[in-house]
Amino acid sequence: MTVTEPKPSYKYIGTRPVRHDGVEKVTGRARFAADLNLPGQLHGIAVRSPHAHARIVSIDTSEAEAMPGVKSVITGDDFPAVAPGDRNYDMCVNVIARDKVFYEGHAVAAVAAITREQAQQAAAAVKVAYDVLPPVLTIDDALAPGAPVLHGHMLTAGADPPAEEPSNISNITRFAGGDLDAGFAAADLVIEREFTTQPVHQGYIETHACVADTGQDGHTSIWCSSQGHFNVRSSTATLLGWETTRIRVIPAEIGGGFGGKTTIYLEPLAVAMSAKAGRPVKMVMSRDEVFRATGPAPGTRLKVKLGVQSDGNLVAGDAYLIYTNGAYAGPGGLLGAMTVFESYDIENFNIEALDVVINTARSAAYRAPAAPLTAFAMETLLDEVATELGIDPMDLRLQNAVTEGDPSTMGFPFARIGFVECLEAIRDHPHYTAPLGPNQGRGLAAGYWFNIGESSSATVNLNEDGTATVVTGSPDIGGSRASMALMAAEVLGIDVYDIRPVVGDTEAVGFTDVTEGSRATFATGMAVVEASRKMVVELRGRAAKMMGVDVDDIDWVDGQAVYTGSDGEKDPLPLAAITGKAKRTGGPLTTTGSLEAHGAGPGFAVHLCDVEVDQETGVVRVVRYTASQDAGTAIHPSYVEGQIQGGVAQGVGWALNEEYIYDSDGVMENPSFLDYRVPVASYLPMIDAIIVEVPNPAHPYGVRGVGETGIVPPIPAVANAIHNATGCRLRDLPMSPIRVLDAITSNGGSKGA
Amino acid sequence: MPVRVHLSSNLRGPTGGVAEVEAEGATVGALIDDLDRRYPGLGDALRSGVSVVINDLLIAHPDYEPVADGARIYFVPQTAGG
Amino acid sequence: MSRVHVTCTINGDPIEFLCDGGQTLLDALRDEVGLTGAKEGCGTGDCGACSIVMDGRLLCSCLALAPEADGTTISTVEGLASGDDLHPLQQCFLEGAALQCGVCTPGFLVAAKALLDRNPDPTETEIRYGLAGNLCRCTGYDKIVRAVQTAAQTINES
Amino acid sequence: MLTAMRYASPTTVAEAVDLLGSDPDARVYAGATDLIPQIRAGRPEPTVMVDLKRIERLCAISSNGSTYTVGAATPTADICADAGLTAAFPGLVEASGLIGSDQIQSRSSWGGNLANASPAADTPPSLIVNEARAVIAGPGGERTVPAAEVATGPGATSLGPGEIIVEFELDQPPARTADAYLRLIPRTEMDIAVVGAAARVTLDADGNVAAAAVALGAVAPTVVRVPDAEAALIGNEPAGDALAAVQAAASAATNPIDDKRGTVAYRRQVAGVLARRAVSMAAERAREQGGQS
């Protein structure tokens, strides 16, 4: 179902072609990073710290080096020193520890051998002496007076007055507007609640993998799974102290990322070992390594207070947010601060957010980083407000929703946005008024996420036969190649299947930033449109030459050059006729679009969730789910729906089951898909995705990023549904059967207030 | 011609908490230089991790972006994503 | 150390390979036979990305030892299509956009084929439970379930 | 994975026992759904994996009219597909079907589930309420013991060196008898039981309980029988106070631990709930069966 504003009619955009890389993926032939093997290849394994916090006293690699088949052993000493405080320090020492380890699973060395078994045995023979330090594992640990300080150089950024002593607070963000005291004074209802959440993992099914091949000339090629191969190139170069141009990165198919593959872990180790051994080195993480050593999303403690007038008008908001970003500084709190009140027009507000470091794996981005948690707090509070004031939760949101011109938390007025349209799409859906069964409850929640622009490049090559190759620098995580082809088809006017979309390596296409911030279809799409539009200009010129007319008299219509001049009728020239004569009219037809995309458009989503709660065991089942989201323009609606549905599934997992569990030493207790419970098919219902289209004025086809917003509303939607079913408010994640039963029991065992 | 510059609240330290100030410059970069002269320290804050919104358009790396007469400029923190 | 000689039939072809006694069947398929369609997502039988069928039984090849394949008949995702003709499941996955990143897709196709072989007309619930051993983190399963429903219909009508 | 590890696939029980008896580091390989991940993680380090799946007797299901014999390595998928077993032991078959995914069902077996001795295993409570006997072969010949006596603690069994479970024997239940198994897991599939509860009920002609067995999994080092629940049921209609007594007795019989999958308080409470529901479900089935006989 699609809610559509009046918009231009497109021939290709909005259709649902079979994705161009699809056949390879359903036949098992698509090459993911771990599928590649090179002649002479060695297998590399990282040696990882068993301690959450320790000083490395010494590393003895001699026994490992002497073992059969072992060709290369490296430690932090094989990489250039990096000073604490250097802007790349965190990334560099996270990839391989230097003097200290900061979490269980932190890489301290790596070995490469002829077989994986030899490498495993050699890794076990690397002797690391540790001076174990007390671990800092929770927010309370980190903020306690006299707490062990992870990084002696870390002074709190944003502190007022400026920090003079190091601490575990990496950053403080403050936003304020209006007059908070006056706002609360004007409120008829003030509610303040505290929420806690645990780190969760992106849970991509493909583990991190790469193959690096360093030649005698000192140049290296890396095949890897990442959300941005240009970033792999620059980060690897930084770690190795190499010139960027010595490294070529070839993107393999990527088996999911969700933000977790925007950073690097293995590539510099593989390159260093390959350089030392003079042979290619392949590294593939185990699932256990992925859980222990790659970035989860932050855990949080959030306190939010709302002031509301009796008619439902939100007049004041106060938020105190703490995000743990794992072992190094991260942006969780900043992003939480930027999202907590962003969806609603609240004149008087104060937000203070702390980012703290603890001895757990360094957080990485995870789909709309930080926002699902602020939404958990804000949207469950709104539900409580609606209950208290006897206002329909939908009306409360419609009344306070931001619309065009309203100021954001950061002060700028919103451009055209589709929040109200998303709310209305849910309100008008049959689900909103469908009857509920026994022990069932319904929850409504909204969510907001930015979209980002950044740099993108695309090249359009027209082939002799009239087909086109569109090369971009954005790894295709979820079908973006099809979207690129659709936009190129729309501009060029040729069939979408006559376009072959390709992800180019770092030497085959212009610089392109990481696929993050829901930017691929938005920003790289813009580059494709720009290159395609340049191609149309070129084609008109060639056609004019062939027809012997002025270029101004040539229009490009449906893939043909059409003469519009007054010098009689001329047969239109189809694209293939022009490409066939390219040699005679000026040579190959190639255009590029390289740009820094401006005008990323915010995306909103509204979700409606029905749950059924077993009141005696606390088990919660999601039984019906409907989600609306503003896509601006859906280039390939099936993949927009897929992004929404995937976000919902991840959000439901986050809400009900997923969490990192550590023992008192900081050792992860559930590093497997058995005990880290991502939703399975039998755990979810169908997910009805409603695409709302309020075009982004800054994009040639109105695109807004859609990849992330869908994960923002599910946690509060589930929480509100549980409340509706049981009368209990759950404010700690995950809302496991244990917590739900506990809440029901403390609430008197029945559906209470 | 001076233009009106709006600072998100986390950037207002150097202005003593004032949200909206005036500055001159043909480009955003020049504007930042001018703001730094008027409010020492603000330049550093605006040169790292800050985007602008000009005429509804979010621009992440705006240094050379031209500033038209009458434009309203909003400095905001840069976002990231997953 | 002597390696084990295994003779079996894979996707209709007679195949011989050498493996270690302790090597998993998944590793042998990928590294010794060169069939990389089955993926390792977990190595513990919890994600199903390595699903294959051996002697008529669906299993996670990461939980089987390679020597066990001696004398068996195996099918993998690579054997699902006949020549250029995709299996209806493959076609329905494509047309229904039932894959995003695609790394879980081979396992899903193999498991869905086994499900439909056993139960040609499954309900939505039967599909969801039948595929519960296959994790997908991208799609939320909606389009996968629909694709399997459509494929069942296609197969039953043909 | 160990390159030095050998693989052996005996075709007779005697060969298997010889292999296992002659090498203390030999390990039984049936489903290995737990063992292979453990070996990959570096522990244990077997010298030889003795695959039992090519021994016909270990993979066969048969019945002589009064006793069912089920090979210890028979895939649970085959057990679930067996109409006779499903009719006679619906709860045990349900428990068998709950072990992992369809993929795991091709490999998991009663023998593996029992000999692995996980306190949370799904089939042992049902085997126990149905008074299954395990036929064990070893260097000293064969012996038959109650299934309840095989597991002695987490990861520990009464099996001697070289001994394997060959098959299980289950007597055809009397009339108006049925069992049920319920477990609590957080996500519907692919989980380890936080609590498991099996019940078997025999009704008399008046619909009162003539015999009952209740057993709990995942709430103690081994499966726990709940005699107080059984006593509360005998002679009573399986409803109302009797069920409340079952619930209370089951909760009281538990001796659980706090771990990553559950807490003491939660396991205790839910054990009672599931025991009550399992008894109720078994009684309902027995009642339906009574109508047919």
Side-chain angles (χ1 to χ4, degrees):
Chain A
M1 186 164 120
T2 306
V3 174
T4 309
E5 291 208 326
K7 62 170 185 182
S9 67
Y10 298 121
K11 185 166 179 189
Y12 296 102
I13 286 172
T15 63
R16 301 173 187 243
V18 166
R19 59 196 282 167
H20 297 68
D21 54 319
V23 171
E24 294 291 290
K25 285 189 171 147
V26 298
T27 53
R29 281 191 296 236
R31 286 230 171 177
F32 294 84
D35 298 336
L36 185 79
N37 293 302
L38 294 181
Q41 167 183 291
L42 304 173
H43 294 269
I45 302 259
V47 179
R48 299 187 180 278
S49 166
H51 306 294
H53 195 192
R55 197 170 302 286
I56 299 172
V57 179
S58 64
I59 304 178
D60 178 1
T61 60
S62 53
E63 188 185 324
E65 279 165 12
M67 288 172 76
V70 174
K71 299 293 177 189
S72 176
V73 182
I74 57 166
T75 69
D77 290 343
D78 289 276
F79 296 85
V82 54
D86 184 293
R87 57 190 280 268
N88 294 309
Y89 173 83
D90 289 358
M91 176 191 74
C92 290
V93 303
N94 186 51
V95 168
I96 187 155
R98 308 300 163 91
D99 54 337
K100 264 176 94 177
V101 290
F102 290 103
Y103 54 92
E104 184 228 359
H106 200 160
V108 293
V111 301
I114 293 171
T115 69
R116 205 181 326 172
E117 292 70 26
Q118 289 169 336
Q120 274 164 345
Q121 283 159 6
V126 172
K127 292 192 182 65
V128 187
Y130 295 100
D131 175 12
V132 178
L133 302 168
V136 175
L137 297 173
T138 64
I139 288 170
D140 286 337
D141 285 355
L143 300 181
V149 171
L150 269 67
H151 304 286
H153 66 278
M154 201 173 79
L155 298 176
T156 307
D160 182 21
E164 287 172 0
E165 294 294 323
S167 76
N168 293 321
I169 303 171
S170 62
N171 186 54
I172 297 177
T173 303
R174 288 194 184 84
F175 292 121
D179 181 335
L180 193 68
D181 291 339
F184 279 116
D188 299 307
L189 173 68
V190 175
I191 298 184
E192 180 175 19
R193 300 286 181 245
E194 189 167 304
F195 303 80
T196 64
T197 76
Q198 303 306 315
V200 298
H201 198 271
Q202 298 83 354
Y204 31 80
I205 305 300
E206 180 207 27
T207 68
H208 297 261
C210 69
V211 183
D213 186 14
T214 310
Q216 294 292 316
D217 62 356
H219 286 247
T220 199
S221 295
I222 304 171
W223 289 260
C224 67
S225 165
S226 88
Q227 288 179 238
H229 40 295
F230 286 89
N231 176 59
V232 172
R233 182 178 67 166
S234 56
S235 297
T236 302
T238 299
L239 252 126
L240 293 162
W242 285 17
E243 301 86 351
T244 303
T245 47
R246 283 173 65 186
I247 301 171
R248 175 186 179 203
V249 183
I250 302 134
E253 294 297 337
I254 168 172
F258 318 112
K261 291 178 183 166
T262 56
T263 185
I264 61 161
Y265 299 101
L266 298 177
E267 290 80 3
L269 307 181
V271 172
M273 289 194 287
S274 169
K276 217 166 175 176
R279 293 167 68 160
V281 172
K282 178 176 184 171
M283 295 185 81
V284 180
M285 276 196 198
S286 67
R287 177 57 52 187
D288 181 280
E289 285 181 284
V290 171
F291 275 118
R292 293 184 201 273
T294 71
T300 68
R301 191 165 77 211
L302 315 169
K303 200 191 288 182
V304 180
K305 181 175 168 185
L306 284 181
V308 199
Q309 292 177 322
S310 55
D311 65 352
N313 185 31
L314 294 175
V315 287
D318 191 6
Y320 182 66
L321 317 172
I322 307 176
Y323 280 70
T324 64
N325 294 288
Y328 303 94
L334 167 67
L335 296 170
M338 290 169 77
T339 52
V340 62
F341 295 137
E342 193 68 326
S343 302
Y344 301 99
D345 188 11
I346 306 174
E347 196 186 334
N348 310 295
F349 64 91
N350 183 65
I351 305 164
E352 182 168 338
L354 269 57
D355 283 301
V356 305
V357 294
I358 58 175
N359 289 115
T360 61
R362 183 192 191 198
S363 284
Y366 179 21
R367 215 168 191 162
L373 307 172
T374 46
F376 175 39
M378 182 65 187
E379 294 289 323
T380 53
L381 264 181
L382 282 181
D383 207 59
E384 218 172 321
V385 166
T387 307
E388 286 285 320
L389 296 180
I391 299 175
D392 182 83
M394 175 64 76
D395 293 340
L396 180 68
R397 287 173 174 81
L398 280 166
Q399 181 183 348
N400 291 286
V402 287
T403 58
E404 185 174 358
D406 285 340
S408 81
T409 300
M410 276 82 73
F412 67 86
F414 277 109
R416 184 81 176 88
I417 49 175
F419 186 20
V420 167
E421 289 79 354
C422 288
L423 285 162
E424 288 169 346
I426 291 293
R427 181 196 63 195
D428 299 340
H429 190 280
H431 182 179
Y432 195 69
T433 48
L436 285 165
N439 296 314
Q440 293 186 350
R442 179 164 295 151
L444 173 74
Y448 163 83
W449 185 246
F450 323 95
N451 184 192
I452 63 176
E454 297 189 329
S455 295
S456 280
S457 295
T459 301
V460 175
N461 292 314
L462 293 189
N463 304 309
E464 307 90 295
D465 58 2
T467 62
T469 306
V470 174
V471 189
T472 73
S474 286
D476 178 356
I477 315 187
S480 62
R481 268 173 292 211
S483 298
M484 301 305 157
L486 282 162
M487 286 182 270
E490 195 68 44
V491 179
L492 296 172
I494 60 173
D495 192 272
V496 67
Y497 292 120
D498 284 336
I499 293 171
R500 181 164 176 76
V502 174
V503 184
D505 68 53
T506 51
E507 294 179 359
V509 67
F511 180 87
T512 300
D513 272 310
V514 175
T515 295
E516 63 179 354
S518 308
R519 62 177 290 278
T521 303
F522 168 72
T524 305
M526 257 190 201
V528 168
V529 171
E530 181 173 292
S532 302
R533 285 179 174 171
K534 284 183 187 167
M535 182 59 78
V536 166
V537 171
E538 185 65 27
L539 284 164
R540 286 172 53 227
R542 303 290 182 99
K545 213 178 259 183
M546 288 166 71
M547 290 186 193
V549 301
D550 192 297
V551 70
D552 293 336
D553 290 335
I554 301 285
D555 272 2
W556 191 257
V557 183
D558 282 343
Q560 303 191 103
V562 177
Y563 177 67
T564 58
S566 49
D567 190 15
E569 291 265 313
K570 289 183 191 297
D571 287 341
L573 273 177
L575 184 138
I578 302 170
T579 55
K581 290 239 164 53
K583 259 183 186 310
R584 297 156 208 272
T585 58
L589 287 150
T590 296
T591 54
T592 59
S594 276
L595 49 80
E596 174 73 12
H598 298 160
F604 289 87
V606 178
H607 291 192
L608 192 64
C609 170
D610 292 356
V611 299
E612 188 170 310
V613 182
D614 184 330
Q615 309 269 352
E616 286 188 306
T617 64
V619 168
V620 176
R621 297 270 179 269
V622 175
V623 294
R624 186 170 182 183
Y625 209 104
T626 306
S628 70
Q629 188 173 322
D630 179 12
T633 297
I635 300 297
H636 191 309
S638 295
Y639 288 100
V640 174
E641 291 161 1
Q643 289 294 329
I644 296 172
Q645 291 159 339
V648 169
Q650 291 182 345
V652 168
W654 198 337
L656 293 174
N657 285 318
E658 293 180 35
E659 64 175 322
Y660 267 56
I661 303 172
Y662 294 100
D663 72 10
S664 57
D665 294 325
V667 175
M668 189 182 179
E669 290 195 274
N670 59 335
S672 74
F673 276 142
L674 180 63
D675 287 313
Y676 184 92
R677 300 186 186 90
V678 308
V680 296
S682 53
Y683 196 61
L684 294 169
M686 291 296 188
I687 299 161
D688 197 353
I690 308 171
I691 302 171
V692 172
E693 295 186 300
V694 176
N696 173 5
H699 186 275
Y701 290 123
V703 169
R704 295 178 196 274
V706 296
E708 296 171 283
T709 317
I711 200 175
V712 182
I715 298 172
V718 170
N720 291 339
I722 292 173
H723 173 262
N724 191 229
T726 64
C728 300
R729 289 279 172 204
L730 279 287
R731 299 192 186 92
D732 303 295
L733 295 187
M735 296 177 273
S736 62
I738 295 169
R739 284 216 173 90
V740 172
L741 185 61
D742 199 36
I744 291 171
T745 309
S746 4
N747 206 30
S750 65
K751 188 163 172 167
Chain B
M1 273 269 287
V3 295
R4 288 163 71 197
V5 173
H6 186 280
L7 303 168
S8 64
S9 46
N10 62 322
L11 299 171
R12 292 174 201 159
T15 67
V18 175
E20 205 156 89
V21 296
E22 289 201 333
E24 277 186 90
T27 64
V28 173
L31 213 58
I32 293 174
D33 291 342
D34 186 42
L35 284 165
D36 198 44
R37 279 189 289 275
R38 296 172 191 232
Y39 306 99
L42 187 53
D44 283 347
L46 298 184
R47 281 189 198 101
S48 65
V50 173
S51 301
V52 301
V53 177
I54 310 179
N55 301 329
D56 283 354
L57 210 59
L58 178 68
I59 300 171
H61 306 284
D63 313 40
Y64 299 100
E65 209 56 38
V67 176
D69 280 352
R72 281 196 71 183
I73 311 278
Y74 297 83
F75 282 96
V76 300
Q78 251 170 32
T79 57
Chain C
M1 170 187 71
S2 65
R3 303 193 86 206
V4 183
H5 179 237
V6 173
T7 305
C8 58
T9 302
I10 303 181
N11 300 328
D13 296 324
I15 299 285
E16 292 181 49
F17 62 85
L18 293 175
C19 63
D20 294 330
Q23 197 169 1
T24 65
L25 180 54
L26 173 61
D27 283 346
L29 287 171
R30 292 174 56 84
D31 298 338
E32 317 296 339
V33 185
L35 292 173
T36 57
K39 311 295 179 194
E40 178 168 315
C42 66
T44 53
D46 295 306
C47 80
C50 65
S51 297
I52 61 153
V53 172
M54 183 162 76
D55 283 346
R57 294 187 187 279
L58 175 71
L59 52 89
C60 289
S61 56
C62 75
L63 290 185
L65 293 176
E68 197 188 336
D70 194 39
T72 66
T73 298
I74 289 173
S75 38
T76 71
V77 69
E78 286 94 341
L80 203 50
S82 357
D84 288 342
D85 294 332
L86 294 180
H87 187 275
L89 275 164
Q90 294 171 308
Q91 198 60 43
C92 291
F93 267 58
L94 285 180
E95 287 168 6
L99 56 146
Q100 283 176 31
C101 81
V103 81
C104 71
T105 309
F108 266 99
L109 289 166
V110 169
K113 165 84 164 40
L115 171 68
L116 295 185
D117 285 348
R118 188 163 46 79
N119 178 0
D121 193 17
T123 63
E124 182 199 330
T125 302
E126 286 168 339
I127 294 171
R128 287 186 178 277
Y129 277 86
L131 297 178
N134 293 78
L135 294 181
C136 170
R137 192 62 160 167
C138 294
T139 63
Y141 304 105
D142 184 293
K143 291 185 191 304
I144 292 176
V145 173
R146 288 178 202 277
V148 175
Q149 287 174 322
T150 315
Q153 222 172 344
T154 310
I155 295 167
N156 294 339
E157 282 165 9
S158 67
Chain D
M1 193 63 86
L2 297 168
T3 45
M5 196 164 88
R6 285 191 305 119
Y7 167 84
S9 52
T11 53
T12 65
V13 170
E15 271 180 84
V17 167
D18 274 355
L19 280 162
L20 289 160
S22 61
D23 182 347
D25 291 323
R27 292 292 292 246
V28 166
Y29 173 42
T33 54
D34 289 317
L35 184 57
I36 287 183
Q38 286 165 9
I39 293 171
R40 285 169 59 110
R43 163 192 62 84
E45 298 184 13
T47 46
V48 55
M49 294 284 269
V50 182
D51 189 351
L52 303 182
K53 296 189 293 297
R54 298 205 181 187
I55 306 173
E56 255 176 63
R57 192 175 159 206
L58 265 81
C59 300
I61 300 173
S62 65
S63 166
N64 63 8
S66 61
T67 302
Y68 288 92
T69 305
V70 178
T74 307
T76 46
D78 291 4
I79 288 167
C80 294
D82 188 277
L85 288 172
T86 305
F89 311 102
L92 174 56
V93 170
E94 277 165 358
S96 308
L98 289 177
I99 305 170
S101 58
D102 281 12
Q103 285 88 334
I104 302 297
Q105 288 282 308
S106 298
R107 316 281 286 177
S108 54
S109 62
W110 290 351
N113 209 214
L114 189 59
N116 195 38
S118 159
D122 284 309
T123 56
S126 290
L127 288 168
I128 288 168
V129 297
N130 285 297
E131 292 175 356
R133 299 179 294 277
V135 178
I136 294 166
E142 293 196 3
R143 61 191 177 101
T144 300
V145 302
E149 291 173 13
V150 174
T152 55
T157 68
S158 58
L159 295 172
E163 282 194 325
I164 56 171
I165 306 173
V166 175
E167 60 202 11
F168 291 90
E169 295 172 351
L170 285 148
D171 292 335
Q172 171 71 38
R176 290 185 297 275
T177 299
D179 70 334
Y181 176 76
L182 293 170
R183 71 168 178 185
L184 190 128
I185 55 168
R187 66 169 171 182
T188 70
E189 267 285 2
M190 303 304 291
D191 253 330
I192 304 295
V194 178
V195 177
R200 178 163 125 160
V201 173
T202 301
L203 298 179
D204 63 20
D206 300 329
N208 292 325
V209 176
V214 176
L216 304 171
V219 292
T222 57
V223 171
V224 177
R225 278 290 286 264
V226 192
D228 289 351
E230 297 164 11
L233 285 164
I234 304 289
N236 293 315
E237 200 188 331
D241 288 350
L243 288 181
V246 167
Q247 178 164 350
S251 285
T254 60
N255 178 24
I257 54 165
D258 280 324
D259 68 7
K260 62 192 173 188
R261 297 187 181 121
T263 60
V264 168
Y266 184 79
R267 286 189 161 114
R268 188 162 284 153
Q269 169 142 7
V270 170
V273 172
L274 294 195
R276 188 197 78 220
R277 290 180 182 177
V279 166
S280 191
M281 186 183 284
E284 182 59 31
R285 285 174 176 164
R287 217 172 283 133
E288 284 167 12
Q289 222 183 53
Q292 290 161 2
S293 62

